[in-house]
Amino acid sequence: MNYLEELNPRQRQAVEILEGPVLVIAGAGSGKTKTLAYRVAHLVKNGVRPETILLLTFTRRAAAEMLRRAQAVIGRAGRNAFARAWGGTFHATANRLLRTYAASINLAPEFTVLDEGDSRDLMDMARRDAKAADQPKRFPQKGTLLAVYSRTVNTGRGGAALRETLERFYPWCLEHEERLTELFRRYIALKQERNLLDYDDLLLFWHELLEDDRTADLLESRFSHILVDEYQDTNPIQARILARMRRHNRNIMVVGDDAQAIYGFRAATVRNILDFPKEFPDATVVTLDQNYRSVQPVLDVTNKVIAYAKERYTKDLWSERASAQKPYLVTCYDEPQQSTFVIDTLLAHREEGVPLRRQAVLFRASQLSANLELELVRRSIPYHKFGGLRYLEAAHVKDLLSFLRVMENGRDDLAWHRMLNLLPGVGQSTAARVIAAFGAGGGSFAGLKDCAVPSRAEEHYGKLVDLLCELHGSKRPLPEEVSAVRKFYGSLLQDLYENAEVRDRDLDHLEALSQRYKSRREFLADLALDPPTSTSDFAADPSRDDDWLVLSTIHSAKGLEFDAVYIIHAADGCLPSDLATSSEEELEEERRLLYVAMTRARNFLYVSFPFRYYSRPFGTGDRHAYAQLTRFIPPVLFDSFERIRLAQEIVPDEVVDAADIQRRIRSKWW
């Protein structure tokens, strides 16, 4: 059968356009991955060389999956055809390009890519250099400073956009504008001195490469076609990069859904996808509205929720999957009752043949699952939680990687300090002395043997220097390097952390992961740019359970699907978050967040909220706060749900006209 016949008419339209800009508005569950994969295959079938195709996604796994499916379409005749295709994230692609063109921009190709945690630490170093603690008024901490810096640079305008960033997102920091400028200059200097790049630098350097017309022409000519997934999640500088890469050659396809733009906190902007036809006036717009995931009653609700959006591409998702079962809207008395309802319901579905791993509980913020987790543990129900601590943020993982980073980039002071501070009795001053000795010795590890350290550290320090000398002078495969480092670090792990056994399982995962790599540089870069998820978030040992429930923030659940979805804490203040109601733009993103959560459901959707929350005020005494159902589900939508009232809401379905109340209040004064 012709592979094009496997596509619906609109998918086929998107695939068959070979020239010019194309915008594909892909509704939730509409087969965008299939469309992109078949598009790549169709290009190759029509003579486009795979090495001239650039496929940009937001995870490496997504790119690999698309290329795998494209390969399957081509079949045996095109075996290994896509090995040369460029597929990966914006940041990974930037990393690859920068290492290729490093010499032309005065950048050492062995630069280290900082993860978010390391970037915060380096920002803290800049903060200390600026003597921020000596300020008479509250000064931002390192996490806030990095957030301000990142938002500013991702505009593509650098320091010129600092005031705008502060006014919009951090008004309390406005009085520190001048000091922040100085501090960020210091942060940049620290990175350059140590041959370090953070996430933002990867895009900034790529963008700057393209500012030179000759380099821009070279990079543009390298790729005949560019395809971009999840375009609604791009930020301004990513959009500018794409525009510079397509100045003359207009072959670009972007795929996304404005209704699923939920990463504004990462500086992503829905404006990129909304304004794409303005950037490329000759663009063809194709809308994919046939949903292959959800039953129609779920889509009926989601269509109505997103219809209230102020600005959007109009589409009504439809499905051939009929069902008589409406989604459920559940009113609970308090959090414990909500937890009990969710667990009783998911166990009932399990008895009906729906495994726990095909069910998911979603929430706006990680802390909102606390009560539910306690009840799950009490009932011995295993679960895996997404949206908490990322794998590379775990202290023990960062510890082990610091050894590899030191060997890769001897100027990486952050890694040096982390590695040396693991030794008993070694503090900041001793670490600084060792680092200085390394620099004075011309980068020789052997020269460190004579460096004085506290007596408590002498034994471990001697073994550490021996290890560094051995690994630096050998040509061991990477897995052997990781194994040797782990053996040394294992002697410290028990003393450093109480739950050493759990942490050691994570290191098993890290060592296994190293088997895929030939080079230390590639390994470290990939871990920073596309980190794995944690393996130790299970309530029970995953080796002892073949099934577990998924708990996830809504952000972490994007792109996934489940037979049954439970959205908890669908109350104003939680969804939308009370921290995201200061502007219409923020509220619109919160609406889209609910839409994303609802469209994860295949067969069963439960939306619940407790109208009574326990809280402890400052001082003495306890109290309860009362909530209302999220404003994104107004009473006019109630008919689209099956109502379950475990408790009666304070606000009835039919509310009093607010204008009448306001008039009566005014009448008491005028």
Side-chain angles (χ1 to χ4, degrees), residues 259-374:
Q260 298 187 68
I262 60 174
Y263 291 109
F265 65 94
R266 295 181 184 172
T269 172
V270 72
R271 296 271 19 127
N272 284 353
I273 193 167
L274 292 175
D275 295 340
F276 185 84
K278 296 179 182 177
E279 182 70 37
F280 296 89
D282 53 334
T284 302
V285 181
V286 181
T287 301
L288 307 183
D289 56 5
Q290 182 175 357
N291 180 285
Y292 295 91
R293 174 186 301 156
S294 306
V295 295
Q296 190 61 47
V298 169
L299 297 179
D300 290 339
V301 169
T302 59
N303 286 334
K304 291 174 181 177
V305 167
I306 202 62
Y308 287 93
K310 302 297 183 183
E311 187 177 6
R312 68 188 185 104
Y313 288 102
T314 302
K315 61 181 178 301
D316 286 319
L317 298 182
W318 61 276
S319 173
E320 294 179 349
R321 299 187 65 228
S323 174
Q325 181 58 65
K326 294 180 179 180
Y328 295 88
L329 185 59
V330 186
T331 304
C332 303
Y333 181 68
D334 54 15
E335 291 184 82
Q337 189 178 58
Q338 178 179 244
S339 298
T340 299
F341 169 80
V342 168
I343 293 174
D344 288 347
T345 306
L346 66 88
L347 289 176
H349 280 305
R350 180 173 177 266
E351 291 301 311
E352 295 167 357
V354 183
L356 291 178
R357 62 183 176 275
R358 294 301 308 155
Q359 304 185 62
V361 183
L362 307 183
F363 32 84
R364 172 63 177 85
S366 184
Q367 67 270 18
L368 293 174
S369 66
N371 187 277
L372 178 65
E373 290 182 61
L374 290 173

Side-chain angles (χ1 to χ4, degrees), residues 450-638:
D450 298 328
C451 193
V453 297
S455 56
R456 289 176 56 201
E458 286 178 352
E459 182 180 354
H460 287 294
Y461 179 75
K463 293 180 179 178
L464 172 62
V465 174
D466 289 342
L467 173 68
L468 295 174
C469 290
E470 179 187 349
L471 295 181
H472 186 258
S474 72
K475 295 184 178 180
R476 287 189 180 187
L478 176 64
E480 291 185 16
E481 279 192 8
V482 175
S483 179
V485 171
R486 186 179 174 187
K487 183 178 179 181
F488 172 81
Y489 179 64
S491 66
L492 304 170
L493 190 61
Q494 293 286 345
D495 295 328
L496 290 168
Y497 305 106
E498 291 182 359
N499 54 344
E501 184 178 347
V502 175
R503 294 174 185 267
D504 197 53
R505 286 203 297 269
D506 277 351
L507 301 183
D508 282 337
H509 184 60
L510 190 68
E511 189 170 347
L513 194 63
S514 71
Q515 300 283 343
R516 306 177 191 176
Y517 294 87
K518 296 181 179 180
S519 109
R520 187 194 309 130
R521 179 178 300 175
E522 184 185 2
F523 179 60
L524 291 171
D526 272 7
L527 284 179
L529 297 170
D530 193 15
T533 57
S534 177
T535 62
S536 58
D537 294 338
F538 293 86
D541 187 343
S543 64
R544 300 178 183 177
D545 288 284
D546 60 357
D547 198 14
W548 55 84
L549 178 68
V550 175
L551 305 185
S552 178
T553 62
I554 300 172
H555 287 98
S556 296
K558 187 172 178 290
L560 304 178
E561 61 179 57
F562 304 91
D563 289 341
V565 168
Y566 310 82
I567 303 172
I568 61 175
H569 296 288
D572 259 37
C574 299
L575 184 63
S577 167
D578 55 5
L579 300 176
T581 57
S582 60
S583 71
E584 186 174 288
E585 183 179 355
E586 289 177 320
L587 275 174
E588 287 299 295
E589 181 159 315
E590 294 290 299
R591 185 193 313 278
R592 296 193 294 267
L593 200 59
L594 175 61
Y595 175 83
V596 167
M598 298 172 85
T599 53
R600 300 311 94 196
R602 296 188 72 251
N603 302 318
F604 304 99
L605 174 62
Y606 299 84
V607 181
S608 67
F609 82 105
F611 78 85
R612 190 171 185 259
Y613 284 87
Y614 172 79
S615 63
R616 184 181 295 275
F618 293 107
T620 59
D622 299 329
R623 67 178 178 86
H624 289 85
Y626 294 89
Q628 295 185 14
L629 176 65
T630 175
R631 70 190 70 183
F632 303 138
I633 304 179
V636 71
L637 301 189
F638 287 174

Side-chain angles (χ1 to χ4, degrees), residues 21-25 231 252-256 273-274 276-277 283-287 313:
V22 183
L23 168 63
V24 179
I25 302 298
Y231 190 65
I252 180 171
M253 172 183 280
V254 300
V255 182
I273 193 167
L274 292 175
F276 185 84
T284 302
V285 181
V286 181
T287 301
Y313 288 102

Side-chain angles (χ1 to χ4, degrees), residues 634-645:
V636 71
L637 301 189
F638 287 174
D639 287 344
S640 298
F641 291 91
E642 184 171 325
R643 304 292 305 278
I644 299 177
R645 292 180 174 90

